[in-house]
Amino acid sequence: MKLKENFYFCNNCKKIVDDPESLYFVESVIPRGFCSEICIKEFYGPIVDYYEKCEDDLRKKYKCETENLSDFISDPSFLEKLFAEPDEIWRNQNSLGEEVFSFISKFDGEMDGTFYLASLCLVFENKPSFIFLVTATKEVSLLNEFRIGKELENLEEFLKNDGGESGSDGQISSEVFETIESKKSAFLASLLEQRSSKDIPYEDFYCYDIFMEDTLEGPDEVYTERDRDGDDLFTYIKAHEKDGKSFYYFVICMNIGPSIEEAGDTILPILGFPSQDGDTYNSYRKGKLISGNLKS
Ligand SMILES: [Zn+2]
C-alpha cells in the first residue's frame, strides 16, 4: 500500500473517498465535506438543537412564547420569498472564519397584518445550503436578535452570483435575468399547486440542488417546446437515487439565444426540482422529445 497524496473523508462518519467531487459541501469558507445528506444532518443536528433552545429562551425573554405562526413557515411561497428574495441578509463570522447567515423577510398579510420570517442558515455558493432554524414572528425585538454580524449591502448581486460555475452568468442582461425570474416564479407556482402532498417537501428542495448539474450533463430525456411568449423551453429529466430512495430530477431551461463567446445558443436553467411522483413525471414529459446533450 502507498500513502495517498490526495485523500478526503466525510467530516461526520469519516468514510474515506478518493475524489472531493463525491463529497457534499454546505459551507463556503471552511471546506467540510460530507458523504451523504444523512451525515450532513447528523453533523449539524446538535447545532440545530442549540439554535432551537436559543429561540425558546429569546421568546421567553420577549414574552412571545405563545406566538404561533407556524402556518407561515409551512407555506412554500413564504419560504421561497425568504430564501430567494429576502429583504435582509446578515453574515456573522466567528474568529475561526465560520459563517452563519440570517435571512429576513417582511410580509404584509391581508388578514394577519405584518409579520416576519427569519432564518439562520449556512450558505454555499451564495445560496442557503443548510437551514438551522426558521421562525415567524410579529415581535420586532425578537427579530432584531437575528440581525447579527454584518448586513450585506447588495442582495441582488449576492444572490445572482453563485460562484460563477456556469460561465455565462456574467453576460446575462438584466432584461433576460428578469424574464428568467418571472418564468421561474410562474413555474414554481404551478409546480407547488399541482404536486402531491406526499412528494418531497418543498423545504427539502435545496438538498437536491446538487443533482442539477448531473441532470444537465447526462439527462435521460430532454423535451422542448415553445411557450406563449415565444421562448424555447427545454425540460431535462434524469432518474437519481439519494439515501436509498429513487426520484426524478427536473431542470427547466430556456434558450436565450447566441452568446458572445460561443457559436451556439445558450441554454440557461430556470428551475430545478426533485419529485418522486409518477404524475409529476408524466406532466413534465411534454413537447417534442429530443435526444442527446444540449448543454451549450
Ligand atoms: Zn459520512
Side-chain angles (χ1 to χ4, degrees):
M1 178 171 175
K2 231 177 138 198
L3 290 177
K4 286 177 187 160
E5 283 180 5
N6 269 313
F7 97 111
Y8 310 87
F9 59 91
C10 170
N11 273 235
N12 185 55
C13 72
K14 318 299 185 296
K15 182 176 133 183
I16 290 174
V17 300
D18 290 334
D19 182 2
E21 294 263 310
S22 57
L23 292 174
Y24 303 137
F25 294 89
V26 288
E27 292 182 74
S28 306
V29 183
I30 312 260
R32 283 191 262 258
F34 299 96
C35 72
S36 66
E37 203 63 46
I38 294 169
C39 276
I40 295 174
K41 281 191 177 157
E42 263 180 28
F43 184 83
Y44 293 106
I47 315 302
V48 170
D49 298 343
Y50 167 75
Y51 280 127
E52 279 172 2
K53 169 86 176 46
C54 290
E55 186 195 351
D56 289 347
D57 291 349
L58 287 169
R59 282 190 177 272
K60 276 193 200 105
K61 182 177 165 189
Y62 297 114
K63 303 196 170 37
C64 55
E65 311 97 291
T66 54
E67 182 183 52
N68 187 358
L69 303 171
S70 55
D71 281 359
F72 298 132
I73 300 173
S74 48
D75 187 322
S77 63
F78 291 136
L79 286 181
E80 164 70 13
K81 158 125 178 42
L82 173 66
F83 291 118
E85 299 165 49
D87 294 322
E88 298 168 37
I89 301 177
W90 293 70
R91 188 207 321 253
N92 185 46
Q93 200 168 38
N94 69 14
S95 61
L96 301 176
E98 293 168 310
E99 296 176 321
V100 174
F101 287 76
S102 302
F103 280 56
I104 296 174
S105 256
K106 184 181 174 188
F107 297 86
D108 292 304
E110 277 170 31
M111 308 280 281
D112 315 292
T114 298
F115 66 96
Y116 302 89
L117 287 189
S119 175
L120 291 175
C121 56
L122 297 173
V123 163
F124 183 67
E125 291 179 346
N126 290 4
K127 294 208 171 53
S129 53
F130 184 85
I131 293 159
F132 291 123
L133 182 78
V134 183
T135 197
T137 189
K138 296 184 176 191
E139 182 57 59
V140 176
S141 35
L142 175 66
L143 183 75
N144 279 335
E145 297 280 353
F146 283 82
R147 296 180 165 126
I148 46 169
K150 263 195 170 152
E151 185 175 9
L152 302 189
E153 278 173 11
N154 196 337
L155 294 195
E156 209 171 301
E157 195 71 13
F158 177 81
L159 294 165
K160 228 168 27 174
N161 178 6
D162 59 1
E165 261 195 7
S166 61
S168 55
D169 269 15
Q171 294 164 24
I172 305 172
S173 70
S174 61
E175 195 186 333
V176 172
F177 183 73
E178 267 168 37
T179 308
I180 288 176
E181 286 302 293
S182 90
K183 283 193 200 289
K184 180 182 172 166
S185 307
F187 281 128
L188 191 65
S190 82
L191 170 69
L192 295 175
E193 197 180 278
Q194 66 164 54
R195 60 205 305 281
S196 152
S197 58
K198 293 187 213 95
D199 208 345
I200 297 162
Y202 173 77
E203 53 270 32
D204 290 347
F205 275 18
Y206 73 94
C207 303
Y208 293 82
D209 288 352
I210 46 172
F211 294 99
M212 182 184 280
E213 202 170 325
D214 194 41
T215 303
L216 288 172
E217 277 170 8
D220 296 335
E221 296 162 80
V222 182
Y223 293 86
T224 182
E225 67 176 349
R226 189 157 286 179
D227 71 3
R228 268 180 292 172
D229 306 325
D231 292 313
D232 288 328
L233 300 177
F234 297 89
T235 307
Y236 287 61
I237 307 175
K238 186 171 179 152
H240 293 274
E241 208 181 275
K242 185 162 104 75
D243 304 331
K245 280 187 191 142
S246 45
F247 63 93
Y248 293 103
Y249 197 85
F250 301 81
V251 189
I252 301 174
C253 303
M254 184 178 121
N255 185 352
I256 62 162
S259 71
I260 300 163
E261 280 183 356
E262 297 180 46
D265 286 353
T266 303
I267 292 167
L268 278 186
I270 301 176
L271 178 68
F273 59 93
S275 175
Q276 289 172 326
D277 183 21
D279 290 341
T280 300
Y281 172 65
N282 285 325
S283 70
Y284 281 88
R285 297 172 75 212
K286 57 182 185 191
K288 195 171 100 194
L289 175 68
I290 40 174
S291 54
N293 185 347
L294 279 172
K295 203 185 171 200
S296 58

